[in-house]
């Protein structure tokens, strides 16, 4: 698990594949799992109010959550979520080192980074420390300037 506070009312949370081991990947199951996980983190992250939660799911990697507080409630212990699940979104691996990516897959580049679809990387765990994952709006904004290697 990795937690990153992006702003005063926004968080990015990553849960690795271990959290998905005993769950069937349906929207309903993922919504229930995310709500349970966030309620466990409620006090550590001081979550209060109503949050919009975007969940990006990948069966090889895990869950990527983007939390944005939309409203603060009058009662301090009140917590509610609007969970939106993206099951079929593309997730790419972003790195500055071209040579860690597999040779027989499509690799794209822009001015300073190389990108590869995570589904095309057979041993993803061996290169995790050399880059980061990109998905959602950030992915689509960066795809505009890509060129194929």
């Amino acid at each position: 698990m990795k937690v990153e506070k992006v702003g005063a009312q926004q968080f990015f949370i990553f849960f690795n594949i271990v959290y998905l081991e005993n769950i069937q990947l349906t929207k309903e199951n993922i919504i229930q799992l995310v709500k349970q996980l966030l309620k466990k983190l409620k006090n550590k992250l001081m979550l209060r109010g109503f949050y919009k939660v975007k969940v990006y799911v990948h069966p090889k990697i895990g869950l990527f959550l983007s939390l944005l507080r939309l409203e603060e409630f009058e009662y301090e212990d009140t917590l509610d979520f609007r969970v939106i699940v993206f099951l079929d979104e593309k997730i790419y691996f972003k790195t500055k080192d071209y040579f860690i990516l597999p040779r027989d897959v499509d690799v794209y580049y822009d001015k300073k980074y190389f990108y590869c679809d995570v589904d095309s990387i057979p041993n993803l765990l061996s290169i995790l420390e050399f880059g980061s994952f990109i998905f959602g709006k950030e992915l689509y904004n960066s795809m505009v300037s890509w060129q194929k290697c």
Side-chain angles (χ1 to χ4, degrees):
M1 179 177 77
K2 176 184 175 184
V3 178
E4 182 179 332
K5 189 169 185 174
V6 179
Q9 301 175 12
Q10 192 171 4
F11 291 93
F12 172 77
I13 303 173
F14 169 69
F15 293 100
N16 65 21
I17 193 64
V18 175
Y19 291 90
L20 296 176
E21 283 181 344
N22 298 324
I23 186 171
Q24 187 178 1
L25 294 179
T26 65
K27 284 190 177 190
E28 293 79 22
N29 290 345
I30 292 169
I31 289 171
Q32 293 305 314
L33 175 66
V34 167
K35 286 182 178 182
Q36 290 171 3
L37 293 170
L38 290 175
K39 285 180 182 177
K40 288 180 181 178
L41 293 174
K42 173 183 168 182
N43 292 329
K44 288 182 182 178
L45 300 179
M46 296 187 308
L47 298 176
R48 308 287 185 267
F50 180 63
Y51 288 83
K52 178 180 179 181
V53 182
K54 291 182 182 178
V55 181
Y56 296 88
V57 181
H58 194 279
K60 280 174 52 178
I61 305 167
L63 299 172
F64 298 92
L65 279 63
S66 175
L67 277 77
L68 175 64
R69 185 167 71 189
L70 299 176
E71 186 178 345
E72 188 172 352
F73 294 145
E74 291 179 23
Y75 302 105
E76 198 166 306
D77 286 340
T78 308
L79 183 63
D80 196 12
F81 304 105
R82 168 71 171 116
V83 180
I84 302 166
V85 178
F86 298 96
L87 286 174
D88 297 326
E89 285 288 313
K90 282 293 185 187
I91 298 176
Y92 276 71
F93 186 73
K94 172 180 160 182
T95 183
K96 288 186 176 183
D97 188 357
Y98 172 77
F99 297 104
I100 64 166
L101 298 174
R103 300 286 173 250
D104 56 344
V105 299
D106 291 336
V107 177
Y108 302 93
Y109 71 95
D110 62 11
K111 294 176 184 166
K112 52 184 168 176
Y113 292 104
F114 295 95
Y115 303 87
C116 183
D117 189 342
V118 295
D119 290 326
S120 302
I121 303 173
N123 194 3
L124 189 60
L125 293 176
S126 66
I127 64 169
L128 277 179
E129 65 186 278
F130 301 108
S132 61
F133 296 108
I134 182 171
F135 51 88
K137 188 176 180 179
E138 184 183 357
L139 172 65
Y140 297 118
N141 288 340
S142 67
M143 281 179 136
V144 175
S145 62
W146 287 4
Q147 296 178 3
K148 192 171 181 179
C149 290

